[in-house]
Amino acid sequence: MLARIIDDLVTHGWSQQPVFLPQTLTAELAQECRARNAAGELAPAGIGRAATQMIHEGIRNDLILWLDPGCSAPGDRALAAFEELRQAINRELFLGLEELECHFALYPPGGFYQRHLDRFRDDDCRTVTVVCYLNDPDWRPEHGGELRLYLPEGVRDVVPLGGTLMCFMSDRIEHEVRPASRERLSLTGWFRRRPL
Ligand code: OGA
Ligand code: MN
């Protein structure tokens, strides 16, 4: 799978994998995300970097919690899976990815994130975006919540099924999160390179 992701990144700039994390781990992470939200640990996501961060309801309205190593056993297993991917990308593509920043994201029903790029004007270190969906297996296309990619050949909508990994070049692929009729969960991260 790692080889397929790298191939896709080179050829298309993005990759979709139906099963990145095992189903049991996906369910544990979803449970952790919901429990931490119930405990009030998630906070409205800002736009842009911490220093210039502003809560901007018109652009996105998800809640996030940064996931650091040692937060939980499932969290550490997910970080280990991302770490394998980081090392594989570096071996093959020489992108010099040094670290991962990663957060849980919960979009309440109706939540969205308007069309954007993940690389900020004031921070060009985000290089590869990874999004792993934590939704229950009974998520249906009619629930919405698609990740919409704006590709040269047109728009592509990805249903946020639990276990699915989306991976794309942060500086190239414009995308948005479409509103969903139910709560939408993910673990979202960015492999960062060293500042130039
Ligand atoms: C983001 C983002 C996509 C998704 O957090 O920057 O675009 O499908 N997330 O959750
Ligand atoms: Mn994004």
Side-chain angles (χ1 to χ4, degrees), residues 1-172:
M1 175 172 44
L2 297 178
R4 276 202 305 276
I5 294 172
I6 289 163
D7 231 51
D8 287 344
L9 286 178
V10 171
T11 314
H12 308 292
W14 62 278
S15 181
Q16 176 178 357
Q17 300 299 326
V19 190
F20 181 69
L21 299 179
Q23 214 178 328
T24 47
L25 178 54
T26 301
E28 285 170 336
L29 290 165
Q31 195 180 20
E32 177 174 351
C33 183
R34 288 196 187 95
R36 290 185 182 274
N37 185 46
E41 292 179 40
L42 275 66
I47 308 291
R49 229 163 39 138
T52 56
Q53 187 165 315
M54 291 190 321
I55 294 162
H56 220 309
E57 294 250 325
I59 296 177
R60 69 188 289 187
N61 54 8
D62 54 329
L63 302 170
I64 67 164
L65 175 67
W66 292 99
L67 176 65
D68 293 318
C71 274
S72 70
D76 282 351
R77 290 208 293 283
L79 292 177
F82 285 139
E83 175 61 15
E84 269 192 63
L85 176 57
R86 184 187 71 87
Q87 289 180 15
I89 293 174
N90 277 347
R91 266 196 311 272
E92 302 295 328
L93 302 185
F94 309 104
L95 290 177
L97 307 177
E98 291 204 315
E99 55 176 18
L100 174 73
E101 51 179 2
C102 182
H103 63 55
F104 285 111
L106 183 153
Y107 289 76
F112 60 88
Y113 192 161
Q114 289 176 4
R115 182 171 175 170
H116 66 282
L117 273 180
D118 284 346
R119 184 171 281 188
F120 307 128
R121 270 187 296 274
D122 59 346
D123 175 355
D124 66 354
C125 296
R126 286 183 171 183
T127 303
V128 177
T129 303
V130 284
V131 189
C132 197
Y133 298 105
L134 306 179
N135 297 307
D136 293 335
D138 65 347
W139 190 283
R140 298 273 167 273
E142 54 268 29
H143 294 134
E146 301 89 349
L147 170 67
R148 178 165 290 175
L149 304 179
Y150 292 89
L151 303 171
E153 63 270 26
V155 154
R156 183 187 174 96
D157 283 344
V158 175
V159 177
L161 286 174
T164 292
L165 175 80
M166 280 305 299
C167 182
F168 52 86
M169 302 307 294
S170 308
D171 62 337
R172 275 179 37 202

